[in-house]
Amino acid sequence: MYQDTIMLTVNDPDIMKAAELLRSGEVVGIPTETVYGLAADALDENAVRKIFEAKGRPQDNPLIVHIADLSDIYKYAENIPENALKLAEEFWPGPLTMVLKKKDIIPYVTSGGLDTVGLRFPAHPAAQKIIRACGKPLAAPSANLSGSPSPTTAKHVMADMMGRIPAVVDGGCCHVGVESTVVSFDESGRVCLLRPGFISLEDLSDAVGEDNVFCAHGVTEKVGENERVLSPGMKYKHYSPKANIIIAEGSAEALAELMREKHSTAVVFSGDEKYFTTPCITYGASSEEQARNLFNTLRFLDEQGIKEAYFRCPEKTGVGLAVYNRLLRAAGFEVIRL
Ligand code: TXA
Ligand code: MG
């Protein structure tokens, strides 16, 4: 344990400090455009083990490896499908993770024992600076304690990681707010969506053609206890605040009426407030705003000691699908239709 967890800025001397810590095998909280990451040298098994310890994460859940140069894809992956190169050209740097056959240089501790590795080239300037200053690829899961909502501010990281890691780099609020889109590729090179994110199903289809994209089982449905999943992250209970979350499909008016019966808290779209005579919280008007505010809102519910909250169901297209996917997990798949 660490006596103190220091907060670093994104100024050059602090970036160098973060890079030094990482080079010496330590774990550092870093900003990315999606959510904060808990980073360590992806090639150093002992450093990577410290990530699992700090997070309390199951060892078979693989970590994403962050790079800061498109050509690094060839250093860490092999048998790269044509469509992967297309997606890299189109969406990197950005919130897209591609699962590819790993090269031997990536330790099994990092890949959760799999022969594949998830690679991502983040767009956040501070993340890129840290990776370059460190000179190593950085393994980084979201910087929350396993099971709690992902952190979108340095303060969230501190709340979860105080005393567990030596430092956090404060790069402000994460612009996207939900974790990266994760894709893999089937034998014929078709793109399989494992986790929706800011790069949407529609964006992927535009890049490689609709016939070359499909959605994995488990993105919007619950997977059974013993069912095999393509991505280990799908089996774990995720993003859950202490509050009991319920997703409500239907109009704001219908939800307002239900809340008058239930005396529960509603979490609705900005603009819906006018229908409510009971307590309500807003989480944004557009899907983009809802993505940016989702995890912050989940943490806020717990800070306020709210025991139960009904979320107005987000759109299921574009980045809305990512919001829906995270909310489903926070709600333990409890959805009601009004
Ligand atoms: O936006 C993000 O992706 C953030 C930031 C820090 O980059 N990171 C993140 O990592 O969300 P994490 O560990 O919380 O989620 C990674 C997800 C997990 O669901 C994991 O199972 C999946 O990606 N994943 C990683 N490597 C994989 C692999 N080789 N095969 C299948 N799934 C993989
Ligand atoms: Mg996570």
Side-chain angles (χ1 to χ4, degrees):
M1 288 291 107
Y2 300 84
Q3 279 243 300
D4 194 20
T5 299
I6 56 167
M7 191 72 99
L8 296 170
T9 69
V10 292
N11 297 336
D12 286 346
D14 274 9
I15 295 279
M16 292 315 291
K17 242 182 243 167
E20 265 164 45
L21 282 167
L22 289 162
R23 268 200 305 268
S24 69
E26 291 293 343
V27 175
V28 176
I30 65 163
T32 85
E33 72 276 27
T34 56
V35 300
Y36 275 73
L38 207 53
D41 178 350
L43 308 181
D44 177 343
E45 295 189 11
N46 287 324
V48 171
R49 278 195 196 96
K50 289 185 190 169
I51 298 179
F52 286 95
E53 261 168 51
K55 234 184 116 78
R57 181 182 179 113
Q59 300 271 341
D60 69 337
N61 199 357
L63 304 179
I64 293 171
V65 173
H66 298 70
I67 56 178
D69 189 333
L70 201 152
S71 68
D72 280 356
I73 194 173
Y74 300 105
K75 284 194 196 157
Y76 309 117
E78 55 195 22
N79 301 343
I80 302 163
E82 198 57 41
N83 279 337
L85 296 174
K86 263 195 203 164
L87 295 182
E89 284 292 340
E90 184 77 25
F91 299 115
W92 277 2
L96 176 72
T97 298
M98 298 197 288
V99 174
L100 298 163
K101 172 123 192 2
K102 81 171 189 72
K103 280 197 168 165
D104 289 341
I105 186 171
I106 300 288
Y108 280 107
V109 188
T110 302
S111 72
L114 300 173
D115 289 320
T116 52
V117 61
L119 289 182
R120 168 157 123 80
F121 178 176
H124 197 291
Q128 293 182 1
K129 278 189 192 166
I130 294 165
I131 298 166
R132 291 189 187 124
C134 173
K136 295 293 176 76
L138 296 180
S142 49
N144 51 292
L145 284 174
S146 200
S148 72
S150 291
T152 53
T153 66
K155 216 174 114 217
H156 294 162
V157 182
M158 275 295 183
D160 281 17
M161 291 298 150
M162 182 64 103
R164 295 176 162 260
I165 58 174
V168 179
V169 177
D170 186 353
C173 293
C174 298
H175 181 74
V176 172
V178 291
E179 307 88 342
S180 62
T181 305
V182 181
V183 300
S184 64
F185 302 87
D186 71 5
E187 316 78 58
S188 52
R190 292 199 315 150
V191 179
C192 174
L193 179 69
L194 298 174
R195 181 176 74 180
F198 188 80
I199 310 285
S200 66
L201 204 52
E202 295 85 345
D203 293 334
L204 297 169
S205 295
D206 285 346
V208 297
E210 208 180 324
D211 295 343
N212 285 316
V213 180
F214 63 102
C215 203
H217 172 68
V219 169
T220 55
E221 56 285 282
K222 193 172 182 168
V223 291
E225 290 254 317
N226 299 315
E227 243 179 296
R228 214 183 80 88
V229 287
L230 287 168
S231 179
M234 283 177 176
K235 355 178 252 216
Y236 299 107
K237 187 161 190 243
H238 250 299
Y239 320 111
S240 29
K242 291 181 194 77
N244 182 35
I245 307 293
I246 300 125
I247 302 176
E249 288 195 41
S251 68
E253 291 96 321
L255 182 57
E257 201 178 305
L258 180 71
M259 291 302 95
R260 281 193 283 273
E261 273 168 41
K262 296 253 182 209
H263 303 287
S264 194
T265 302
V267 185
V268 297
F269 303 166
S270 307
D272 288 346
E273 309 89 295
K274 57 180 175 286
Y275 301 111
F276 287 80
T277 52
T278 55
C280 81
I281 296 167
T282 58
Y283 75 116
S286 64
S287 293
E288 283 76 12
E289 276 174 24
Q290 290 162 12
R292 197 173 304 138
N293 294 327
L294 178 67
F295 290 134
N296 198 18
T297 305
L298 291 176
R299 281 181 184 251
F300 177 76
L301 293 174
D302 283 348
E303 281 160 22
Q304 297 296 307
I306 292 168
K307 296 278 175 297
E308 182 178 79
Y310 285 76
F311 269 74
R312 184 154 182 225
C313 188
E315 298 281 336
K316 295 174 191 169
T317 55
V319 64
L321 184 66
V323 180
Y324 182 58
N325 168 277
R326 307 309 190 274
L327 258 183
L328 273 175
R329 281 154 179 82
F333 291 85
E334 192 177 352
V335 183
I336 58 160
R337 282 179 190 81
L338 301 170

